[in-house]
Amino acid sequence: MTRLVLVGPPGAGKGTQASALSEQLGVPHISTGDLFRAHVGEQTPLGQEAKRYLDSGELVPDSVTNEMVRERLSEPDGAAGFLLDGFPRNTKQAEVLGQILSEADTSLDAVIQLAVPEEVVVARLMSRGRADDTEDVVRRRQQIYASETAPLLEYYADVLIAVDGVGEVEEISARVLKALRDRT
Ligand code: AMP
């Protein structure tokens, strides 16, 4: 159970959980948001293109995102497994991920949904203080989650594991690990 995707609204705690889980499962944590922020910080051409999308809360175009993920997944550390955080964000990206994996004769083991009510998510985001956490951008990211990303829950219905994402970090990781164990 090591090829995993973590899905949940912005502010659900995906990054925190993905770090904890990747350590416990011994697989790399691949966050497209972190990859984009690193490019922006280093002012690479990709970063210069991505910046305005990150600043406004819009999705970076699929062509750019998919290429970045394809490259990242071709690195050797992901061969035995990975935990994707923030990708895919829409069904087109999910189709591309499916292609990348099937080219390597493999597939996703599970998609973990971190379920967190909207009021909890907004409160968390407003206290996080990241550059793209202004009220308008937070609202926009929630809208995009609802329209673009939430359909993935249906798309991945066969491999979906929904976990209650409210509580202490350790408590939530333990729930995820138990849910993964219970499935095998
Ligand atoms: P995150 O760190 O996952 O909250 O992502 C921060 C920002 O990076 C998002 O608001 C998007 O602008 C961009 N981003 C991250 N992942 C993706 C993706 N899979 N597709 C398009 N844009 C993304």
Side-chain angles (χ1 to χ4, degrees):
M1 299 298 282
T2 49
R3 291 187 181 85
L4 305 171
V5 166
L6 199 53
V7 181
K14 292 192 298 298
T16 308
Q17 277 309 317
S19 299
L21 290 166
S22 80
E23 202 163 299
Q24 302 199 43
L25 295 167
V27 294
H29 167 201
I30 301 179
S31 155
T32 43
D34 286 350
L35 291 172
F36 283 130
R37 282 184 289 276
H39 277 282
V40 171
E42 290 161 21
Q43 300 185 352
T44 66
L46 193 154
Q48 284 167 0
E49 177 165 5
K51 185 174 188 308
R52 63 193 166 104
Y53 298 100
L54 269 76
D55 287 347
S56 63
E58 301 295 323
L59 295 185
V60 178
D62 286 347
S63 53
V64 177
T65 307
N66 291 336
E67 208 39 50
M68 182 177 77
V69 170
R70 185 181 278 280
E71 268 180 36
R72 180 63 188 85
L73 287 177
S74 73
E75 287 176 27
D77 66 338
F82 51 76
L83 180 55
L84 275 171
D85 156 20
F87 184 91
R89 276 280 221 287
N90 59 36
T91 51
K92 283 271 185 301
Q93 293 182 359
E95 284 165 12
V96 170
L97 176 61
Q99 271 167 24
I100 296 173
L101 295 177
S102 75
E103 284 164 20
D105 273 327
T106 174
S107 58
L108 284 180
D109 295 305
V111 173
I112 302 154
Q113 175 195 2
L114 272 189
V116 180
E118 180 156 355
E119 62 273 17
V120 176
V121 157
V122 173
R124 279 191 196 166
L125 285 175
M126 296 314 295
S127 66
R128 189 168 68 171
R130 206 170 76 187
D132 57 349
D133 286 341
T134 61
E135 198 177 337
D136 285 354
V137 175
V138 163
R139 203 169 291 134
R140 183 67 190 134
R141 295 214 314 270
Q142 297 297 334
Q143 282 170 355
I144 292 176
Y145 176 78
S147 62
E148 298 270 320
T149 310
L152 289 179
L153 303 175
E154 184 72 22
Y155 182 91
Y156 284 129
D158 289 351
V159 285
L160 193 73
I161 300 176
V163 174
D164 176 5
V166 181
E168 298 298 323
V169 174
E170 296 76 20
E171 199 182 337
I172 300 165
S173 328
R175 276 179 210 147
V176 172
L177 292 170
K178 179 173 188 311
L180 288 172
R181 273 199 307 274
D182 288 352
R183 263 177 54 103
T184 49

